[in-house]
Amino acid sequence: MNEWLKKMVEKAKNFWKNSKTISKVILIGVVVVIVVAIILAITVPSKKVSVKLFNSPYSDENTRAAAVTRLDELGANPVVDDEGYISIENADQKQKLVSILVSEGLSPATWDPFKEYYNRSWSVTDQEQNVKLKNAVSSQVRMSLESLEDVNSAIVTINIPEKELFSKDQNPVSAGIVLTLNRQSDLPTNTKRQKNLERLVLTLIEGLTHDNLTISDREGNILNDFTGLEDATRLTLIEREQKIRHKEEAQLKASILKSLQYQVSEKRLMDLNVYIEMDMSQRSSESTVYSPIERKADNPNTPYDDSEYVDSLPVSEQTVTKEWQGTGFNPEGPTGVEGQTPPVYSDNSNVIGKSVETGTTKNNVINTKHITEITSPQIGRRSVSLNIDGRWDIIKDSKTHQYKIDDETGNLMWKYTPVSEVELKQFKEIVEGAIAYDATRGDLVVVTNIPVDRSEEHEKFQEEYFKKIQTRKTILLSLAAVAIVLVGFILFRIISKEIERRKRLREEELLRKQQAAREQALWDAKDDAGVAVTMSVEESRRAELQENAINMAKEHPEDVAMLIRTWLMEE
């Protein structure tokens, strides 16, 4: 790859060197145009064309606001104009979004999905128009259903009967739909989505009712059969209530763990069970509560409660005293007529009497509260059970500070330290505070210390520990072997160098002695003229070269120094 790149770069350089000026200008211009076009294509956004979802505006502001909110959740970025039309930017999502809004009842009240099919020419008969409308309705329903995520394909069959003169003779509109669903679809079990799907079809087909509509899947399961829905709703309500209870228990469990996270590790918290009794029945109650009246509030600066209460306060008071004194008088009737008074009362006539009447009326006021409340659900008794494991520590040697190993089994030695009674009591108080413990409510908190079998964890730790030791030993042995090899190699190189040095010294010494012997022989020959000196051809050649080298060194010392340096560099 690098050779190919080098060749291409080399070809480009040669082309640039051999090209004319006009060719270079043209090439630069083409490159600039291409770069500018790429930059514009990346930076300049394409023009967005908005499309209206429905062919009629929204007249109800609440429905329009709900539709806009739903489209925002789906990421459609809706835009509402002054007339009330809703538009989106992506035309490909129109059919899907329309199906979702119609199924959830968020379409405009005046929307007609087949408005464009009503324009007909004078040459089109009623039969042809009805067939076109029926095909349009079927196509619209099929496209709306297939735009849903769960539906792969849909087969739509619609029966629109001819209009009769009398309404009692008119046959109803009927439709049958067969859906091919995805494997991940929850439509066969989701009642809410089934109702939304039925609402979508009923909205698209005019005159169609629930009784004349059948929606099924490939297996023949009817999706819009809501008989027995009350039992399913009751079961769903029970499941929802259970979820609420489980959610409360999970929150309570999280609160307990959060309260204990700084006192004990989560690994030692075992078997944390939380149960909450909840009354899901709806109750309405009315009550009247009478309470004393506070005359003086408590002073927060005092360490005691100095407030004053009275049972009631007088609003008004009335005292009445009546006194009467006089004689009794019995009327005898008209003059000249004998009276009708009995003899007993006649004897008490004209007796002086006295009467005193005293009465007091007080109106007091008291604190009264009239409470009307509806409660559902209510959290009842809370039960919490928690087991806290003790501490498992590895025994270390006091001298070497290494883990102790049992000589018999060859395993690490562990020590268990149980939780004291004082700590258990403190943990229980922490749990009671976390769950808002109330004895009158019947709450129960149990905190125990039962040793947990951690043999598997200890074996795993022991295996990893011995494995680390073995790995460490292997690494040390490998490093020692590498060090020995390096030391041996270094010693071998040193010994080899020393042997070569000594060998070279011996050869130099031998050559020096031979040269000295030859020189001594020459000097002896010069001194003794009568002695005939005979030299070999090789020795004569060597002497001649030596003499020439000496002469050249005297005449051209710089050249000889350069030659010697060159020889040394080559060596």
Side-chain angles (χ1 to χ4, degrees), residues 330-357:
N330 294 323
E332 295 293 338
T335 304
V337 179
E338 185 179 356
Q340 300 295 326
T341 304
V344 177
Y345 291 99
S346 297
D347 295 340
N348 294 327
S349 179
N350 299 323
V351 176
I352 297 174
K354 183 178 181 181
S355 175
V356 179
E357 180 181 357

Side-chain angles (χ1 to χ4, degrees), residues 200-235:
L200 171 64
V201 177
L202 295 178
T203 304
L204 294 176
I205 303 177
E206 183 180 1
L208 183 63
T209 60
H210 167 74
D211 298 333
N212 299 317
L213 172 62
T214 302
I215 303 176
S216 64
D217 56 10
R218 285 287 186 180
E219 287 74 21
N221 301 319
I222 306 300
L223 301 180
N224 64 329
D225 185 9
F226 304 119
T227 56
L229 187 61
E230 294 79 8
D231 295 337
T233 304
R234 184 177 62 83
L235 294 176

